[in-house]
Amino acid sequence: MPKQYPDELTLDQFDEMFYTGKARVRQFGLYKEADVREVLKYAKKIDGQIYTQVDGDKDRMYSKGPRFVNRTGIYEVVKLEGYEADNS
């Protein structure tokens, strides 16, 4: 049975989970405005999970799925073997 990606992650948790392992990661929006359609298309292509960087209560964090409120403009698409994406 596939594992579920976490709903929310701090920036440190995100880095630990995806940048120190065998995850496939692609960032959108750091240097130019991200087109959400491009993010969705790439996520579908690799069956990856979208995370949106948002302003949390205390600090920035990542929220699972494409978000349009409180977002910073940065999206990350991640793919970990054994995990099931849910971009609804």
Side-chain angles (χ1 to χ4, degrees):
M1 177 175 224
K3 297 178 186 177
Q4 300 297 312
Y5 288 95
D7 289 335
E8 296 180 339
L9 295 164
T10 66
L11 297 182
D12 288 340
Q13 289 170 327
F14 186 89
D15 288 348
E16 287 172 17
M17 185 167 187
F18 300 116
Y19 279 105
T20 59
K22 296 184 179 188
R24 185 173 180 180
V25 183
R26 182 170 173 193
Q27 186 179 79
F28 294 82
L30 184 60
Y31 298 108
K32 68 175 188 160
E33 184 72 26
D35 182 343
V36 175
R37 293 172 295 193
E38 182 182 341
V39 176
L40 289 165
K41 182 178 176 182
Y42 181 74
K44 186 175 183 177
K45 177 181 174 182
I46 69 163
D47 192 28
Q49 179 61 56
I50 297 170
Y51 277 94
T52 306
Q53 191 180 97
V54 298
D55 287 324
D57 291 336
K58 296 180 182 179
D59 203 356
R60 290 184 175 179
M61 59 185 297
Y62 283 98
S63 181
K64 183 168 83 171
R67 303 285 176 251
F68 301 99
V69 177
N70 290 344
R71 65 185 174 87
T72 65
I74 295 176
Y75 296 94
E76 304 250 10
V77 178
V78 299
K79 173 68 177 166
L80 266 178
E81 291 303 319
Y83 282 75
E84 182 176 54
D86 176 10
N87 290 308
S88 55

